[in-house]
Amino acid sequence: MKTNKRLKPFLLLASIAVLASCKTNKKAEQIDGVKVVSVNPDYFIADNIIGEITQKTVDLDGTPTLCYVFKTNSRPSEHQMGPWCPRHIDDAKEKGGIWFKDGNVYDVDGHFIAELADFYEDDQWKVFREDGSVKYTATQEECEGAAKPDVEEAYQNYCVECLPRYYKDQITTFTIPVTPVYTDREQRLGRGGLGVAFNGVNFDPPAPTHAILAAHTIAPLDDHGGHVNPHGGYHYHAATGSTKEVKQADVHSSMIGYAIDGFGIYALLDENKNQPTDLDDCGGHVDETRGYHYHAGEPGGNEIIKCLHGVPGSVHVQE
Ligand SMILES: [Zn+2]
Ligand SMILES: [Zn+2]
């Protein structure tokens, strides 16, 4: 693995194609009469895009569809990344990130690590040593042994963090329909990206907490809702208001990015701190100004959006 990583610039070994959609044979039916608004590529932070945003006709769900195609390093420019795992059970919350359970967000400080057995009512948790130091993945090898569905035995009971620099040359390619197509089908999210923030960072489907917790590991997000995975680099599982927002002329909440189907994603709360009350199962609704669009879930919900109502483009990560 390590050798390959060094040779990567020359060999361009692996390219993982991850479609946000689940493949089914039945084509989704477009529903007319639901207002849709085309993607505005100017909302993306130009410095975070590698090269230009181009247009290309791509086959989506069996239909040739004009798409925006662009590449990023999936790295934010508005905020630092990390920290994730505290180093000692006496560390304050500034030394760690956040974790979530049952819709609530918790600071991953030293105390949180020390109390995991109580938190999960499972005395097999012990992510620290007798001297109070936290067991965390300190190298790329350790992160790769722990940040996968079948966590290696050696990294059970670990706080998992992977550093952005391990994967700094990864390139993520987003393909998003120029004009979204609203369909009758609510498409479940796959393991690939569900969308992108204006800073070019991937919005990911829910973190696989079941597999993570089954191995007695936690993989904290930083305070901005992001962490690093070997197969996608830095990505968000929560919208925390840390990234570029596009304010609206009315009281509606600000826009924070696009879903992979081309519909806009907006913050949860409007100017008056109210939540929309008419969201569908995906987290979307329609209004006159914005057409169909999504609202990001609460940060503790581990779900930025729940499904897609449009025909999805794709996210490719070139490792
Ligand atoms: Zn993740
Ligand atoms: Zn709305």
Side-chain angles (χ1 to χ4, degrees), residues 252 285 287 293 295:
H252 191 274
H285 67 171
D287 74 27
H293 61 278
H295 283 268

Side-chain angles (χ1 to χ4, degrees), residues 294-307:
Y294 303 105
H295 283 268
E298 303 260 18
N302 188 24
E303 263 181 337
I304 294 174
I305 59 174
K306 298 181 182 69
C307 49

Side-chain angles (χ1 to χ4, degrees), residues 3-21:
T3 315
N4 288 354
K5 289 216 175 293
R6 302 241 161 73
L7 292 171
K8 175 180 50 185
F10 308 100
L11 296 179
L12 297 173
L13 283 167
S15 171
I16 297 185
V18 266
L19 272 173
S21 61

Side-chain angles (χ1 to χ4, degrees), residues 5 13 22-23 30 34 40 58-59 62-63 103 123 163 166 176 184 198 203 248 267 272-274 294 307:
K5 289 216 175 293
L13 283 167
C22 293
K23 287 270 181 215
Q30 177 169 3
V34 174
N40 184 344
V58 178
D59 187 276
T63 305
D123 58 16
L163 300 183
Y166 302 156
I176 299 179
D184 60 346
F198 293 132
F203 283 136
Q248 305 296 293
N272 301 322
K273 304 280 179 227
N274 293 320
Y294 303 105
C307 49

